[in-house]
């Protein structure tokens, strides 16, 4: 069993409902257990600002799928929920599912970069992750989550949403 952490994000078509639906889909993946879900967070877009605010969360899965099998499933869920890949970099999306951490594996190929390449610079990824991990949590590459949190830029727009706006498992 690998302990896996997924980042979820949406800023189109009712983002909270998108995350609820994605978590429901994650809970039904084969060979996989949905262990825990973070709070939901709202923040202004990083990147082009002419797009709606994002809702983000993180999920802890335990799985016997390989990282690439899991990625195939995540991309199928994104497509099912209306994700359209546009040429525009960092544009709005109905659903983004990223493998942040895959056990103690370090992966770098044309499809996957794990630990996720940008996570250290993104409070909307690190704060949800910190809901799920102990403070002394170490990434596969030796970095401590607590250090990433301390060193990442402050996002004054980031808000933790009240629990009733998030789904409970
Ligand atoms: N900005 C925020 N706040 N949250 C995201 O999930 C997010 N995802 C992205 C870009 C466009 C970089 N900006 C984001 O992919």
């Amino acid at each position: 069993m690998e302990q896996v952490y997924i980042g979820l994000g949406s800023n189109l078509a009712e983002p909270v409902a998108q995350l609820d639906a994605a978590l429901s889909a994650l809970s039904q993946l084969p060979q996989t257990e949905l262990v825990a879900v973070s709070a939901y967070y709202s923040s202004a877009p990083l990147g082009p600002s002419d797009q709606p605010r994002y809702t983000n969360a993180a999920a802890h899965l335990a799985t016997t799928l390989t990282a690439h099998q899991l990625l195939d499933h995540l991309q199928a869920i994104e497509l099912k929920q209306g994700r359209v890949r546009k040429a525009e970099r960092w544009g709005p999306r109905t659903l983004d599912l990223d493998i942040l951490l895959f056990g103690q594996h370090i992966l770098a190929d044309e499809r996957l970069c794990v630990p996720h390449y940008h996570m250290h610079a993104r409070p909307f990824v690190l704060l949800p992750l910190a809901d799920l991990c102990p403070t002394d949590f170490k990434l596969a590459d030796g970095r401590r989550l607590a250090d990433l949190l301390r060193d990442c830029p402050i996002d004054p727009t980031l808000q933790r949403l009240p629990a009733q706006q998030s789904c409970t498992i």
Side-chain angles (χ1 to χ4, degrees):
M1 274 279 181
E2 299 287 0
Q3 305 304 312
V4 179
Y5 294 87
I6 306 292
L8 300 90
S10 170
N11 75 338
L12 291 179
E14 300 198 42
V16 169
Q18 295 291 341
L19 264 51
D20 288 347
L23 289 166
S24 168
L26 290 176
S27 75
Q28 289 166 45
L29 288 182
Q31 298 171 234
T32 303
E33 183 193 343
L34 177 58
V35 178
V37 180
S38 73
Y40 287 9
Y41 292 80
S42 170
S43 59
L46 173 77
S49 57
D50 58 341
Q51 56 177 323
R53 285 175 72 88
Y54 278 81
T55 305
N56 289 101
H60 174 187
L61 307 179
T63 190
T64 55
L65 296 171
T66 66
H68 288 89
Q69 287 171 333
L70 179 60
L71 180 64
D72 289 339
H73 284 292
L74 299 185
Q75 291 183 344
I77 296 169
E78 287 177 344
L79 283 179
K80 190 160 171 264
Q81 291 190 213
R83 170 84 179 254
V84 182
R85 287 190 187 270
K86 299 233 174 81
E88 184 197 356
R89 186 169 179 249
W90 287 5
R93 68 268 326 265
T94 51
L95 183 63
D96 205 5
L97 297 174
D98 291 326
I99 301 176
L100 303 175
L101 306 172
F102 194 89
Q104 286 303 303
H105 296 265
I106 296 177
L107 306 168
D109 61 38
E110 63 286 346
R111 291 189 73 202
L112 266 179
C113 179
V114 177
H116 191 271
Y117 183 67
H118 292 297
M119 61 185 283
H120 65 279
R122 297 185 169 179
F124 59 81
V125 174
L126 293 177
L127 268 94
L129 189 58
D131 284 347
L132 303 175
C133 299
T135 40
D136 60 353
F137 189 84
K138 257 196 175 179
L139 280 58
D141 55 19
R143 290 178 297 169
R144 291 175 60 243
L145 180 57
D147 293 337
L148 299 186
L149 278 163
R150 187 197 57 210
D151 297 338
C152 83
I154 291 172
D155 179 353
T157 76
L158 188 72
Q159 296 169 340
R160 191 182 221 262
L161 297 180
Q164 67 271 18
Q165 290 186 37
S166 328
C167 115
T168 47
I169 56 168

